[in-house]
């Protein structure tokens, strides 16, 4: 986290996982049940900006980009096949006061499969209420579209969060 001023801060992160040899058993249409992974690389980049004009009011925007690239062997004789998945997530959260916050999320993902490409997305809105210190309830509505021509669905739900452990003195740095 980098503090640009007393009201503005940015954050960034980068992650990567490389697995040179991993065996996974999966049903692959047209190829069979066994899938011997030979390599996998997963990476992500996230960026965020936070503007906090007063003690209990803030605006936060975050962007996450990710990639999952794998090569595996299938069939007999063994054939090397590649598969790549990638996606983006854009999030906005508005903290209204000490107790209320509201937000929205838009996510898009691309899951190419042999012979076809699948583009999906999901959207979500939520509202959170702080019941007490370290204790809040979130109500959300999500719309999921896994791919063109596939069943779409809505999810309505609630989440009760209880935080445990020691609190940091500088709460701005925790990105509530």
């Amino acid at each position: 986290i980098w503090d640009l001023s007393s009201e503005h801060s940015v954050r960034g992160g980068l992650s990567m996982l490389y697995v040179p040899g991993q065996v996974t058993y999966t049903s692959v249409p047209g190829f069979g049940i066994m899938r011997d992974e030979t390599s996998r690389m997963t990476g992500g980049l996230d960026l965020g900006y936070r503007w906090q004009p007063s003690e209990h009011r803030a605006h936060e925007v975050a962007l996450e980009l990710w990639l999952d690239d794998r090569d595996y062997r299938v069939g007999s004789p063994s054939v090397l096949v590649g598969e790549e998945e990638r996606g983006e997530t854009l999030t906005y959260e508005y903290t209204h006061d000490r107790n209320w916050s509201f937000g929205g999320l838009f996510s898009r993902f691309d899951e190419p499969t042999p012979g076809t490409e699948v583009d999906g997305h999901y959207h979500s809105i939520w509202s959170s209420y702080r019941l007490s210190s370290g204790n809040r309830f979130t109500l959300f509505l999500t719309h999921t579209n896994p791919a063109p021509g596939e069943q779409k669905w809505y999810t309505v739900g609630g989440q009760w969060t209880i935080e445990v452990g020691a609190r940091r003195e500088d709460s701005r740095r925790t990105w509530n």
Side-chain angles (χ1 to χ4, degrees):
I1 295 176
W2 297 276
D3 291 327
L4 304 175
S5 69
S6 62
E7 295 180 355
H8 303 270
S9 59
V10 294
R11 67 179 164 93
L14 182 64
S15 60
M16 188 174 105
L17 170 70
Y18 177 70
V19 180
Q22 173 185 355
V23 177
T24 305
Y25 297 94
T26 307
S27 175
V28 179
F31 293 108
I33 297 289
M34 190 172 129
R35 176 169 156 174
D36 182 10
E37 299 272 346
T38 57
S39 69
R40 179 177 187 176
M41 192 279 297
T42 302
L45 169 71
D46 65 277
L47 305 166
Y49 169 75
R50 182 175 174 99
W51 174 44
Q52 188 166 355
S54 65
E55 183 180 0
H56 298 295
R57 186 160 293 185
H59 300 269
E60 179 182 344
V61 177
L63 174 67
E64 179 183 8
L65 308 171
W66 58 270
L67 172 72
D68 188 7
D69 186 24
R70 20 178 134 194
D71 293 321
Y72 55 92
R73 297 194 176 278
V74 295
S76 180
S78 182
V79 176
L80 187 64
V81 176
E83 183 176 274
E84 183 179 282
E85 299 175 358
R86 59 189 173 271
E88 307 85 34
T89 301
L90 180 64
T91 307
Y92 170 76
E93 184 170 13
Y94 168 65
T95 304
H96 179 68
D97 57 25
R98 184 177 178 92
N99 295 324
W100 286 99
S101 68
F102 310 92
L105 174 144
F106 174 77
S107 183
R108 184 197 140 316
F109 53 91
D110 183 18
E111 298 181 32
T113 55
T116 184
E117 281 205 20
V118 176
D119 290 318
H121 62 269
Y122 63 90
H123 310 58
S124 184
I125 57 173
W126 70 86
S127 176
S128 290
Y129 181 74
R130 182 176 171 259
L131 302 167
S132 64
S133 180
N135 187 0
R136 70 179 174 273
F137 183 77
T138 303
L139 183 65
F140 61 87
L141 169 66
T142 301
H143 172 252
T144 303
N145 180 0
E150 290 191 27
Q151 177 67 44
K152 300 165 184 58
W153 66 88
Y154 290 91
T155 306
V156 176
Q159 176 184 0
W160 182 17
T161 304
I162 301 171
E163 297 175 6
V164 295
R167 302 267 312 155
R168 288 185 172 193
E169 293 299 319
D170 184 5
S171 65
R172 238 177 104 239
R173 290 189 155 294
T174 63
W175 283 65
N176 297 334

